Amino acid sequence: MAESAARRRKSEQGGEGLFDRELDHLPPEARWREWMNRVEATIFAASEPVGRETLARIVGKTCSIDLLIDDIREELRGRPYDLVAVAGGWKHLTRPAYADAIRSAFGTAVGGSGRAAELTQSDVLVLMCIAYFQPITRGELSSFFGKEISRDLIGNLRSFGFIASGPRAPQPGAPYTYVTTQAFLLEFGLDTLRDLPDFGALEDAGLLSKEKLLAGDIMPGFADDGDPGAVMDE
């Protein structure tokens, strides 16, 4: 007890490395409440999703971060915002019911930067394929859609920060592949790629098959969609 009190006094005086994570001097309920407050304050103050490793620095070694998050979310149940798992961490996001109000106030939809609204239909389709089948080459994307996917379209997706270069493909010429980024997850409110819509169900049903796409069995009408500028030829 005396040791804990001394540690607290040194911490209050600004001693480096003396932050009290364990809070042994507090009774269990008060300790849990303080951990909840620390976690919520840290996430609230951050501009990006806060990961588990970061939160582990401010709570006791035996503390369950998942249970803390559950308790915080329970307290936020009646609030217009929630604590959401996104892009590998947690972030405060307003609830979808208030999207119209926020859009009217700021011109940006809830939980995003508004950049996704600037994507064309062709951009979205190509981004979807990259998300589901990454790492993937531009040549494979062109085979999917039956027409050339231009470097300009890929460059546009890169400018938004939604995709990045992946490993080189084991093909002649070793072309670059493309993968989605953390910014993609954050923009579309996803925690991991497994949160993509109906990913498991479509895969199990055989509808999401790289082989079928390459064979032209999926989205054969993309090349004849009547929009010659949707995916530009090089």
Side-chain angles (χ1 to χ4, degrees):
M1 188 65 145
E3 183 180 351
S4 294
R7 187 165 64 246
R8 287 202 310 280
R9 285 196 297 272
K10 289 180 182 178
S11 180
E12 290 168 357
Q13 292 169 4
E16 186 176 355
L18 295 175
F19 178 74
D20 186 1
R21 295 168 49 194
E22 302 299 333
L23 301 175
D24 294 333
H25 62 286
L26 295 177
E29 290 187 7
R31 184 185 311 134
W32 190 259
R33 169 55 59 184
E34 177 61 19
W35 284 338
M36 287 176 59
N37 290 343
R38 288 178 178 184
V39 166
E40 187 171 8
T42 300
I43 295 173
F44 183 83
S47 58
E48 299 293 334
V50 180
R52 186 181 303 274
E53 183 177 339
T54 299
L55 297 179
R57 300 173 193 159
I58 59 174
V59 299
K61 294 180 181 179
T62 61
C63 175
S64 169
I65 292 174
D66 291 319
L67 292 179
L68 277 180
I69 295 292
D70 287 344
D71 283 355
I72 294 170
R73 295 194 67 197
E74 182 63 29
E75 291 193 346
L76 296 177
R77 186 176 293 276
R79 299 300 186 97
Y81 52 88
D82 194 7
L83 207 56
V84 178
V86 61
W90 287 278
K91 185 177 177 63
H92 280 286
L93 293 177
T94 48
R95 298 186 187 277
Y98 299 94
D100 289 342
I102 294 171
R103 189 180 293 107
S104 296
F106 301 114
T108 299
V110 59
S113 66
R115 293 178 298 171
E118 301 174 30
L119 296 176
T120 67
Q121 182 179 10
S122 298
D123 290 336
V124 171
L125 287 171
V126 171
L127 182 58
M128 178 196 73
C129 279
I130 294 173
Y132 278 120
F133 301 114
Q134 60 188 295
I136 186 171
T137 67
R138 189 166 65 91
E140 288 176 326
L141 289 169
S142 297
S143 295
F144 286 179
F145 296 108
K147 65 191 305 183
E148 189 76 11
I149 301 299
S150 73
R151 286 187 173 89
D152 288 341
L153 190 151
I154 294 296
N156 190 45
L157 294 178
R158 290 182 70 116
S159 72
F160 284 106
F162 294 154
I163 65 170
S165 295
R168 288 185 178 272
Q171 301 171 6
Y176 279 109
T177 61
Y178 297 100
V179 297
T180 54
T181 63
Q182 289 291 97
F184 165 80
L185 296 175
L186 182 58
E187 181 69 25
F188 293 94
L190 305 172
D191 186 21
T192 72
L193 292 173
R194 280 288 172 183
D195 295 325
L196 285 167
D198 296 325
F199 183 88
L202 291 173
E203 193 173 40
D204 291 343
L207 298 177
L208 278 176
S209 163
K210 197 171 186 178
E211 291 72 22
K212 283 188 176 182
L213 277 170
L214 287 171
D217 291 342
I218 296 180
M219 291 185 286
F222 184 87
D224 303 314
D225 60 7
D227 181 7
V231 180
M232 300 186 302
D233 294 331
E234 292 185 291

